[in-house]
Amino acid sequence: MIKSPVSKATPLKRALFFLCLLLVASFFEAPQSAKASTTIVNPNQIYSYSIMQRDIKKLADAYPDLIAYETIGQTKYGRELWAVKLGRGKSVLFLNGSHHAREWITTTLLMKMIDTYAAAYDNNTTISKYNVRELLDHVSIWFVPMVNPDGVTLSQQGTAGLPANLAKTLKQYNGNSANFNRWKANMQGIDLNRQYPAQWNTIKNSKAYPWHQNYKGTQPAQALEVQSMMNFTYKIDPELTISYHSSGQILFWHFNTLSKNLSRDKAIAAEISKLTGYSLVQPEKNPSGGGYKDWFIQEFGRPGYTIEVAEYAGERSVPLSAFNGIWSENKEVPLFTAQKSYNLWLEKQKVQYLRQSMSLLAETKLYSKIGAADSISNLKPQQVEVTAQKGDWYQVVSNQGTGWVQPSPGKLAVVEDMNATADLKDNAYTYKYPDAFSPKGSTLSPQTVQVIGRWSDWLLINTNNGNWWIDGRHIELNPTPEEAAPDVAPEKQ
C-alpha cells in the first residue's frame, strides 16, 4: 500500500494540511453558489431609505440579468423614488409600499420579496407551488418599495439634522408633538394616498391644512411623489397593482368598479384573502377616493388592491416583531398575482400570422394549444417554421409536428450566420444557448475564438468541444479581411 505524505506527518501537520485543503476549496468555490445562498435584505432592523438604496444596488449587482432599477422622480427634498424591476416577461405586475411614512414595514416586505424571489430564480427552486423561474421568465414585477422617502425618514429619525425653521414647521404640523413615529404624510404635510385624481373633491375627513395625516392638499396630484407614480404607471402599463399599507389585516379591492369587472376583481381578491387570512372590505356606495388603488381602477379599468398588513397598530409604526407573520402571510401574494397578470395580458394579445424560419436552441415543450395543461412532446434543438405568434407563444412546424411553444429567453432565435474571430481579453463562460441562466459549459481563458453566429448580444463560437454561446456585450469582433483591406481607387482607363 502506498502511503500519502499525510500518513507520516505529526497530528499538528495533518491538521494544518487539512486546513489548507479547506482554504483552497473555499477559494475555488463557484461564486454563483455563494451568491445564491446569501441573503441581502435584513428585515430585522428599522429599514431606512439609505439601507433600501444600498440593498437595491446590492441586489442588482448580485443578479445583473434579472434585476434592474431606475429613479422615477425626486421628492421636494431631493430623495429619489426608486423603482426595481424583477423578471423578464412582457406582462407587468406593479407593487408599491410606504405611501404613508409610519408604514415603512411595507418597504421591508417588498424588498424581502425581491431578495427571496431573485434567489429562487437563480437556484431554479420553487416557492410553495410556484416555479419562480418559469413564472418570472414570462412576467416582470415592478416595485416602488418606498413612495414617500421624505416622510419615512422623518417618521424614523425625527427632525434631527434638519434646518431649524423646517424642523419648527414640521413640529407644528405634528400638533407640536416630538413623536414623529405617528407621521403619515410627506414632509410638506400632505397625505400622498389622498392625492390621486379619483373623486378627490369628495374625500372624507380631510384636514384643512398641512398635518401629520389626512391632509389631501390644495389640488390632486400636487405632490411630486404622486406625479411620479402616475407617470410611471402609464409607462409600465401594469395589468394589476397592489399597494401595501399597514395596519389592520384587511383588503380593499373595489372603487366604483364597473359591473363587467366585478366578478373578476372580487375572485382575485378572494384568493388573496385565502393566502393572507385578511378580510375583504365591502364596497361602499359613495367611497372616499384619492388613493392609488382608486385611481388605478378608475383610470385603467383593471384590478387594483390595497393590502393592510399586520394587526391594527394605531397611530404608530408596526413593531418589528410582527414582520415574520407579515412575511408568512404575504410571500405568495405576488407570485399568485403575477400569474393572474400574465393571464390578463395574454388574453388581450392578438394572433399574428407569420412565416419565419427560426432556430430552436434548447429542448422545449410542444403543446397542442396555448395554455394546455400537458405537453404533447419535447422538441429537440432544430430549425422550425414559425407560423403564428400570440404574446410569448409561438406556433411552430417541427420535425415532430405542428403545435405551440412558450420558450424561455434565448431558446428561440433568428441566428445570424457569421465568419469572424474575437479576442477574449478575460475569462469567459460558455453557455448551452444564449441566455445568462442557460446551463454553463467550460470557462475559456483569454484567447482568440472563431465566431460562427450571433443573436442579440450573444456570440456563437466553434470550439474543440463543439459550438457554444458566449456573452458578447463586452467583446469586439475582429475585422474580416475584406473589412481590413484599405480602399483602393479604381484605375483610370
Side-chain angles (χ1 to χ4, degrees):
M1 182 176 67
I2 300 174
K3 293 185 178 181
S4 72
V6 179
S7 63
K8 298 180 181 180
T10 65
L12 177 59
K13 287 182 178 178
R14 284 199 297 270
L16 289 172
F17 178 82
F18 286 116
L19 178 60
C20 289
L21 284 179
L22 286 172
L23 288 172
V24 170
S26 65
F27 180 78
F28 286 106
E29 184 180 0
Q32 190 166 359
S33 300
K35 173 190 72 178
S37 65
T38 301
T39 299
I40 292 171
V41 174
N42 173 17
N44 301 311
Q45 61 183 322
I46 295 176
Y47 204 77
S48 67
Y49 173 70
S50 60
I51 291 173
M52 179 193 71
Q53 287 195 118
R54 179 202 67 193
D55 285 354
I56 288 173
K57 185 176 186 312
K58 283 185 176 180
L59 286 162
D61 288 345
Y63 306 100
D65 295 289
L66 182 63
I67 291 176
Y69 64 96
E70 64 184 76
T71 178
I72 65 171
Q74 279 190 344
T75 69
K76 181 180 177 181
Y77 293 96
R79 292 183 178 87
E80 305 286 351
L81 269 65
W82 293 108
V84 184
K85 181 187 178 187
L86 171 71
R88 313 172 75 194
K90 295 179 181 178
S91 62
V92 175
L93 167 67
F94 181 32
L95 309 180
N96 57 76
S98 290
H99 266 87
H100 290 144
R102 71 186 183 214
E103 300 174 16
W104 52 262
I105 204 164
T106 60
T107 296
T108 314
L109 176 63
L110 296 178
M111 292 296 294
K112 173 73 171 174
M113 289 171 176
I114 299 169
D115 193 3
T116 303
Y117 303 158
Y121 186 104
D122 195 55
N123 289 321
N124 200 15
T125 56
T126 61
I127 294 177
S128 185
K129 64 180 181 181
Y130 298 98
N131 183 320
V132 177
R133 180 173 291 189
E134 186 175 305
L135 185 59
L136 293 181
D137 276 342
H138 304 292
V139 185
S140 291
I141 307 178
W142 275 100
F143 299 78
V144 174
M146 191 180 288
V147 178
N148 183 7
D150 286 352
V152 167
T153 303
L154 181 63
S155 177
Q156 292 175 342
Q157 301 176 16
T159 58
L162 294 178
N165 59 341
L166 177 57
K168 180 180 178 182
T169 299
L170 291 170
K171 191 171 180 181
Q172 289 172 349
Y173 293 170
N174 200 33
N176 290 318
S177 170
N179 175 22
F180 284 92
N181 181 263
R182 69 176 184 169
W183 189 273
K184 284 180 74 178
N186 69 1
M187 277 178 60
Q188 296 161 272
I190 299 173
D191 188 323
L192 297 181
N193 212 44
R194 291 175 170 233
Q195 262 279 286
Y196 291 89
Q199 292 187 203
W200 182 85
N201 289 327
T202 60
I203 290 175
K204 301 171 186 175
N205 304 318
S206 177
K207 279 284 183 183
Y209 43 82
W211 197 240
H212 67 93
Q213 63 181 7
N214 297 346
Y215 173 57
K216 70 178 185 178
T218 57
Q219 62 183 28
Q222 77 183 84
L224 295 176
E225 298 92 335
V226 168
Q227 294 173 26
S228 297
M229 284 288 288
M230 292 171 64
N231 291 336
F232 184 65
T233 304
Y234 287 124
K235 174 184 171 182
I236 63 173
D237 195 27
E239 298 301 326
L240 188 153
T241 66
I242 297 176
S243 296
Y244 269 103
H245 287 252
S246 68
S247 54
Q249 296 185 321
I250 54 178
L251 171 61
F252 296 90
W253 62 275
H254 184 284
F255 183 80
N256 297 327
T257 303
L258 298 176
S259 56
K260 67 178 182 179
N261 296 332
L262 274 174
S263 60
R264 176 198 68 187
D265 294 5
K266 189 173 184 181
I268 295 172
E271 288 298 320
I272 297 174
S273 176
K274 285 181 187 176
L275 289 172
T276 59
Y278 302 164
S279 303
L280 296 187
V281 176
Q282 292 303 311
E284 298 179 51
K285 287 186 177 178
N286 297 300
S288 182
Y292 177 85
K293 176 264 300 176
D294 309 328
W295 170 76
F296 180 77
I297 292 174
Q298 173 185 278
E299 185 71 8
F300 288 80
R302 300 173 189 172
Y305 303 93
T306 295
I307 299 179
E308 300 271 4
V309 301
E311 294 181 359
Y312 183 65
E315 290 193 2
R316 63 187 180 96
S317 59
V318 171
L320 283 175
S321 59
F323 183 81
N324 287 342
I326 294 170
W327 171 246
S328 177
E329 292 155 358
N330 287 275
K331 69 180 179 181
E332 293 179 41
V333 170
L335 302 175
F336 164 72
T337 48
Q339 184 63 64
K340 290 297 177 184
S341 297
Y342 176 78
N343 294 342
L344 292 169
W345 172 80
L346 186 61
E347 283 176 11
K348 298 191 304 188
Q349 305 309 304
K350 295 184 190 230
V351 176
Q352 302 175 39
Y353 293 98
L354 310 169
R355 191 167 186 82
Q356 184 176 27
S357 179
M358 298 183 76
S359 298
L360 188 66
L361 300 172
E363 186 173 292
T364 304
K365 291 180 179 178
L366 182 70
Y367 296 87
S368 60
K369 62 181 181 179
I370 293 173
D374 298 311
S375 61
I376 54 179
S377 67
N378 287 336
L379 293 184
K380 300 292 184 184
Q382 60 184 275
Q383 283 296 115
V384 295
E385 189 76 15
V386 178
T387 56
Q389 178 182 356
K390 181 175 180 178
D392 54 4
W393 285 82
Y394 298 83
Q395 188 179 50
V396 299
V397 179
S398 71
N399 59 18
Q400 290 169 254
T402 299
W404 289 86
V405 296
Q406 187 191 30
S408 59
K411 284 190 175 181
L412 186 66
V414 178
V415 180
E416 174 190 356
D417 289 332
M418 300 194 71
N419 182 14
T421 61
D423 297 326
L424 304 183
K425 301 197 180 329
D426 301 299
N427 289 346
Y429 288 119
T430 60
Y431 296 84
K432 186 176 179 181
Y433 56 89
D435 184 72
F437 295 96
S438 157
K440 288 181 181 177
S442 60
T443 302
L444 298 179
S445 59
Q447 60 184 279
T448 299
V449 294
Q450 183 69 34
V451 180
I452 61 173
R454 175 167 58 189
W455 177 74
S456 186
D457 293 324
W458 290 80
L459 301 175
L460 179 62
I461 62 171
N462 180 253
T463 74
N464 293 332
N465 295 321
N467 296 339
W468 292 88
W469 290 89
I470 59 174
D471 185 343
R473 281 176 286 191
H474 304 293
I475 298 173
E476 291 186 11
L477 295 176
N478 294 323
T480 62
E482 294 80 6
E483 293 172 334
D487 292 334
V488 179
E491 293 184 5
K492 292 184 179 179
Q493 299 295 325

